[in-house]
Amino acid sequence: MQVIILAAGQGKRMRSRLPKVLQPIAGQAMLRHVIATARKLQSSKICVVYGHGGDQVRAALPDADLAWAEQAQQLGTGHAVQQAMPHIDDDGIALILYGDVPLTRVETLQTLIEASEGKRVALLTVDMPEPKGYGRIIRAAAGSVQSIVEEKDASAEQRLVTEVNTGILCVPVTHLRRWLDRLSNHNAQGEYYLTDIIAMAVADGVEVAARQPAAVWETLGVNNKLQLAELERIHQRNIADSLMENGVTLIDPSRIDVRGELRCAPDVEIDVGCVFEGEVELGNDVRIGAHCVLKNVKIAAGTRLAPFCHLESAEIGAHCIIGPYARIRPGTTLADEVHVGNFVEIKNSAIATGSKANHLAYVGDADVGSNVNIGAGVITVNYDGANKFRTTIGDNAFIGSDTQLVAPITVGAGATIAAGTTLTANAPAGELTMARARQTTVVGWKRPTKRSQ
Ligand code: UD1
Ligand code: CA
């Protein structure tokens, strides 16, 4: 089976510089969704027909397994398929998909492919109570499909038909090649209609089967930002449903956005307004508070995120407590039972078991041992304006509040750093180190008073 994806449409109604098929659903170009579906069908070839904005489309999809056919002028869907034919091998069937119809389910297409049995034409049709704009499916009295008539070419009687062409179909390649050669553009739109091959199949005695999808949204195309937003919501609801079917508790399934892959172990709970990007993995009993953004993150069992946390490219251990308002940046690993509190930023650092940074701290380029206490306002001074340096803190160290650790620097295990220290040399293990002006009191000092004039 080979797939031809029509993606030459300009999409003027998007009112965007981004070509229509690159407009995103769940953070990924619509065309990417269609290609992903085609790959799941184990197609031997995927050929994309592209048009205006083609360089941008090709650059966005550098995948080596795609064949590209240019349709410089949009002369109709039949003409578009003709451009793909030099890339298509003569055996088996071709499945025709659309770059702006992103949500068709794999199961639906499998049903269609099975219906073609390698020798029939198989059409995906839907019943539309308001069929305006769609090609109508014309059936004989006995029920067999005879032709597809475009709305602009249809008689008043034909326009009453509510069974419409989704555009998605399977055709045996050798027949397709022959029928495409016979297309003409003598119709109301002066276009080469792919849909004309249906009447040709009937005339040639090739059977035409029709199948319907489980849901109409599977066949909906996107022409403007309103339809893009509608399909985004449908897609997100589908993701939410499948998460809930797998045991995830969503406080409100209409208020979650997954733009990538979210894998959850049992009993995960996700509060409202969270965004998951890239690959996110959540272990048993993980709880994500409201309005968290997680990108490429792995979180082990039992960890809790309070609201408004932002985590990116990080690995978080089990039973950690994070947030509210914590920012965990790329290259961070937290071991088990680490606590990260409000307004704490951690970047490119490894923090071992049981350590805590509960308030207002910056930990960057650091290796922190276990059971370390990082006080409020502690800063790793990791950057001299040109280069970055690491900070190493041993197990059981206590870093007093408002300490600056000027890297490269090492704090030994069990060391205590007094509050307010600017540490510029290594602090030995087990000792108290401080660097601050000595406190003095001027006994009997009087505040100045206002001079009388
Ligand atoms: C087509 C079908 C119609 C069906 C409808 C479903 C034909 C003649 N008509 O309508 O029966 O109900 O889809 O939406 O096939 N495209 C190209 N090159 C072209 C023309 C179109 O690549 O020259 C692509 C578009 O980018 C789009 C798809 O084909 O992805 C459908 O084109 P569109 O103009 O939206 O559909 P119609 O031709 O009006
Ligand atoms: Ca058209």
Side-chain angles (χ1 to χ4, degrees):
M1 196 269 304
Q2 302 165 80
V3 173
I4 300 170
I5 302 175
L6 303 192
Q10 275 199 49
K12 272 192 200 142
R13 281 176 283 165
M14 282 288 171
R15 295 183 183 278
S16 168
R17 280 168 299 171
L18 193 65
K20 174 158 83 166
V21 293
L22 296 186
Q23 300 281 338
I25 295 276
Q28 285 216 334
M30 288 197 280
L31 182 53
R32 265 238 169 273
H33 288 268
V34 181
I35 289 167
T37 305
R39 287 196 182 121
K40 284 186 196 140
L41 291 166
Q42 320 266 310
S43 44
S44 59
K45 179 164 278 168
I46 301 173
C47 180
V48 182
V49 180
Y50 68 101
H52 299 285
D55 292 343
Q56 230 177 319
V57 175
R58 289 190 66 158
L61 293 139
D63 313 42
D65 64 335
L66 300 177
W68 294 90
E70 188 180 6
Q71 187 194 23
Q73 264 189 304
Q74 271 143 67
L75 305 178
T77 49
H79 179 259
V81 175
Q82 272 169 353
Q83 309 315 302
M85 293 316 283
H87 294 279
I88 300 299
D89 303 324
D90 248 342
D91 48 57
I93 57 162
L95 169 66
I96 293 159
L97 301 176
Y98 296 80
D100 57 0
V101 179
L103 300 187
T104 321
R105 291 182 326 130
V106 171
E107 296 79 355
T108 298
L109 296 174
Q110 264 156 355
T111 307
L112 196 68
I113 293 163
E114 280 160 26
S116 85
E117 285 184 14
K119 58 178 196 274
R120 299 191 186 118
V121 174
L123 287 178
L124 192 66
T125 73
V126 282
D127 199 65
M128 292 263 189
E130 290 187 39
K132 194 171 168 14
Y134 288 95
R136 308 297 204 277
I137 306 295
I138 306 303
R139 289 178 183 262
S144 62
V145 174
Q146 296 300 295
S147 64
I148 299 175
V149 179
E150 292 305 296
E151 172 154 302
K152 289 190 174 126
D153 301 284
S155 66
E157 192 191 349
Q158 287 170 328
R159 285 184 194 194
L160 295 176
V161 173
T162 56
E163 187 186 5
V164 304
N165 175 32
T166 65
I168 294 170
L169 76 164
C170 282
V171 195
V173 173
T174 47
H175 291 316
L176 179 62
R177 222 184 277 288
R178 207 174 63 242
W179 295 331
L180 287 173
D181 287 343
R182 285 160 48 190
L183 289 182
S184 85
N185 62 354
H186 302 308
N187 52 51
Q189 300 184 82
E191 283 183 13
Y192 294 92
Y193 291 163
L194 178 61
T195 44
D196 284 353
I197 69 170
I198 304 306
M200 293 180 192
V202 173
D204 284 0
V206 176
E207 265 182 90
V208 180
R211 290 291 181 276
Q212 286 72 43
V216 171
W217 52 256
E218 293 186 52
T219 68
L220 295 180
V222 172
N223 292 308
N224 56 39
K225 298 271 178 165
L226 272 82
Q227 292 168 341
L228 187 69
E230 275 166 25
L231 286 201
E232 176 79 34
R233 280 353 292 163
I234 290 168
H235 183 59
Q236 291 299 343
R237 181 63 208 222
N238 292 340
I239 294 170
D241 288 355
S242 102
L243 287 169
M244 291 187 292
E245 278 158 18
N246 285 304
V248 176
T249 300
L250 298 178
I251 300 304
D252 182 352
S254 67
R255 283 187 286 170
I256 177 171
D257 284 86
V258 181
R259 301 175 192 148
E261 205 185 336
L262 173 59
R263 283 191 298 271
C264 295
D267 296 307
V268 164
E269 185 183 301
I270 300 171
D271 208 335
V272 301
C274 294
V275 178
F276 299 90
E277 296 177 82
E279 296 204 0
V280 176
E281 204 177 314
L282 306 178
N284 283 321
D285 299 306
V286 165
R287 285 204 193 166
I288 309 293
H291 305 290
C292 289
V293 177
L294 279 68
K295 181 175 185 179
N296 296 321
V297 171
K298 198 172 163 183
I299 301 181
T303 286
R304 304 277 155 104
L305 263 62
F308 298 104
C309 292
H310 190 283
L311 285 72
E312 181 178 354
S313 302
E315 199 162 328
I316 312 296
H319 303 287
C320 292
I321 298 176
I322 297 175
Y325 303 103
R327 178 159 184 223
I328 311 248
R329 291 173 51 201
T332 297
T333 56
L334 306 185
D336 299 345
E337 289 167 49
V338 169
H339 293 190
V340 176
N342 39 211
F343 306 108
V344 172
E345 174 180 348
I346 302 181
K347 184 214 77 170
N348 192 30
S349 295
I351 300 189
T353 309
S355 289
K356 295 178 180 153
N358 273 330
H359 333 268
L360 299 154
Y362 172 63
V363 179
D365 302 309
D367 297 293
V368 178
S370 59
N371 299 310
V372 168
N373 195 307
I374 294 178
V378 168
I379 290 171
T380 55
V381 183
N382 60 331
Y383 185 50
D384 63 5
N387 298 296
K388 303 242 167 91
F389 301 95
R390 287 197 84 81
T391 297
T392 304
I393 301 175
D395 296 345
N396 300 304
F398 181 98
I399 315 295
S401 291
D402 199 27
T403 291
Q404 298 115 54
L405 302 157
V406 182
I409 205 156
T410 298
V411 175
T416 301
I417 310 299
T421 293
T422 298
L423 197 72
T424 52
N426 293 345
E431 306 292 350
L432 170 66
T433 298
M434 69 176 86
R436 51 158 103 121
R438 199 168 279 277
Q439 181 170 321
T440 57
T441 301
V442 179
V443 176
W445 181 82
K446 292 278 187 297
R447 288 187 195 166
T449 54
K450 208 168 177 85
R451 266 185 262 167
S452 56
Q453 307 234 304

